[in-house]
Amino acid sequence: MKIYRTQKAKRTILSTYDRLMEEWGVTATPVDVMTSFGSTHVNVFGREEAPPLFLFHGVGDDSALMWIYNAAALAPHFRLYAVDTLGGPGRSIPNKNYNRMFDDAVWMDEVLDSFELDRVHLAGVSHGGYLVQYYSLVRPERVGKAVAMASSVPAKESGNPMKTMLKVFFPEALFPTRRNIRKLLVKLTGANSAAFTDHPLILEHFICLMRGYNNLAMGYHRVAGFTDEQIDRIRGKVLYLVGESDPFAILGGKAALELYRMNARFYPGVGHGINHEIPDEINSVLIDYFLSPE
């Protein structure tokens, strides 16, 4: 499965990726973990003796973009592992098993095992929020606490996620001109869309991703709908942070969280880029939540 549409697109995306890493305000050590499904790139940073916190980005983005406004604030409190998801843009490289037999839980097991970690905290945004919910469900003994941002509980009755994606991303994603991509960013975000549109490097990287990344490469990450009993099992483990202006929340995500009485906090005027739009508030919540007694 091709991750990038062309070799030129790959070079451009990885170049802007590296430049974003330079703006994190903290030094991260790149580690490439060999798993059954390919090489997984992890940016490791923060205090070595602090509680371990794994970070997962969404579809069509990468760790360099996702945590640019959060890395420096979280680093004094945690040992952080920002993962480039296999199949996503970034520096992870799938092998032939990724196409044939990919399993999210086994992949995450192997990444944690490579760092000799038995139990960790998890935080993820969008599809990364699904990953932390899923792993909390199937490996509860390995997860202390989890935070799902810009995400909702994947109930079986939630409908087709692909249809929701199409409603949000089209028609702009079909014609990724600079004007349309800016328009899409404004549609995705809330009052502080400037966190994306007024940051030249973030905007450049996002444009490169929209034009050069092959979103079909994430298709082997299956999103499984949870039963009511499974939702009950993660209710006490997962905190949801959701913007009320997030189009995915408006199209049913917020209603599902309320229906299932999940532990959720909603933020007026905030969209899908919640940890970019209100980073100070989100950083504070993450620090307080993960450092408080379980």
Side-chain angles (χ1 to χ4, degrees):
M1 173 63 70
K2 289 179 61 175
I3 304 297
Y4 301 103
R5 298 182 188 277
T6 66
Q7 284 300 307
K8 180 180 179 181
K10 177 181 178 179
R11 290 193 298 270
T12 304
I13 289 170
L14 293 182
S15 173
T16 52
Y17 177 107
D18 291 341
R19 288 160 57 198
L20 284 169
M21 291 297 302
E22 292 173 359
E23 294 198 11
W24 270 23
V26 62
T27 300
T29 301
V31 179
D32 293 306
V33 176
M34 293 308 302
T35 72
S36 299
F37 313 105
S39 173
T40 298
H41 187 81
V42 185
N43 292 303
V44 182
F45 61 103
R47 290 195 299 118
E48 290 190 23
E49 70 279 11
L53 171 57
F54 273 72
L55 304 173
F56 293 91
H57 60 79
V59 172
D61 53 42
D62 48 51
S63 60
L65 171 62
M66 182 56 68
W67 310 111
I68 187 170
Y69 290 126
N70 313 109
L74 298 178
H77 305 278
F78 306 101
R79 185 62 168 172
L80 295 121
Y81 303 81
V83 179
D84 281 345
T85 304
L86 271 176
R91 294 194 170 277
S92 292
I93 306 172
N95 62 22
K96 61 184 180 181
N97 289 333
Y98 175 70
N99 294 18
R100 297 174 180 174
M101 50 183 285
F102 183 73
D103 184 299
D104 277 311
V106 174
W107 167 62
M108 294 171 77
D109 284 342
E110 293 180 358
V111 174
L112 266 64
D113 290 345
S114 73
F115 294 103
E116 300 181 342
L117 295 169
D118 294 324
R119 187 174 171 87
V120 301
H121 297 313
L122 304 177
V125 177
S126 192
H127 181 263
Y130 166 77
L131 287 177
V132 306
Q133 293 178 76
Y134 178 72
Y135 200 69
S136 297
L137 175 66
V138 299
R139 301 287 192 271
E141 73 283 358
R142 301 201 72 167
V143 181
K145 295 180 181 181
V147 173
M149 292 170 272
S151 187
S152 184
V153 60
K156 284 187 177 294
E157 297 79 13
S158 296
N160 188 332
M162 183 55 67
K163 289 184 178 179
T164 305
M165 290 283 288
L166 290 174
K167 288 180 181 178
V168 173
F169 281 89
F170 285 82
E172 291 85 2
L174 191 61
F175 306 102
T177 64
R178 178 174 287 267
R179 179 176 179 273
N180 275 349
I181 292 172
R182 288 182 65 95
K183 186 176 178 182
L184 176 61
L185 283 168
V186 172
K187 185 200 296 190
L188 285 168
T189 53
N192 189 24
S193 59
F196 294 90
T197 59
D198 289 5
H199 190 298
L201 182 54
I202 287 179
L203 181 60
E204 179 185 354
H205 188 64
F206 194 81
I207 289 171
C208 293
L209 291 173
M210 292 294 296
R211 293 175 175 174
Y213 169 65
N214 174 22
N215 279 288
L216 295 178
M218 277 291 290
Y220 297 97
H221 291 260
R222 309 297 183 189
V223 176
F226 294 178
T227 65
D228 288 359
E229 185 271 336
Q230 289 173 323
I231 293 170
D232 286 342
R233 282 158 52 190
I234 66 168
R235 184 174 290 109
K237 191 178 285 280
V238 182
L239 170 66
Y240 299 82
L241 306 178
V242 178
E244 292 187 347
S245 296
D246 186 335
F248 292 96
I250 294 168
L251 290 171
K254 181 182 179 184
L257 290 169
E258 293 175 333
L259 175 65
Y260 287 98
R261 307 182 312 281
M262 307 310 285
N263 181 17
R265 303 180 191 179
F266 300 105
Y267 297 84
V270 176
H272 198 60
I274 185 169
N275 59 308
H276 294 77
E277 297 174 56
I278 51 169
D280 292 345
E281 189 163 357
I282 294 303
N283 293 335
S284 178
V285 170
L286 295 178
I287 293 166
D288 291 345
Y289 180 68
F290 286 125
L291 293 184
S292 65
E294 291 187 34

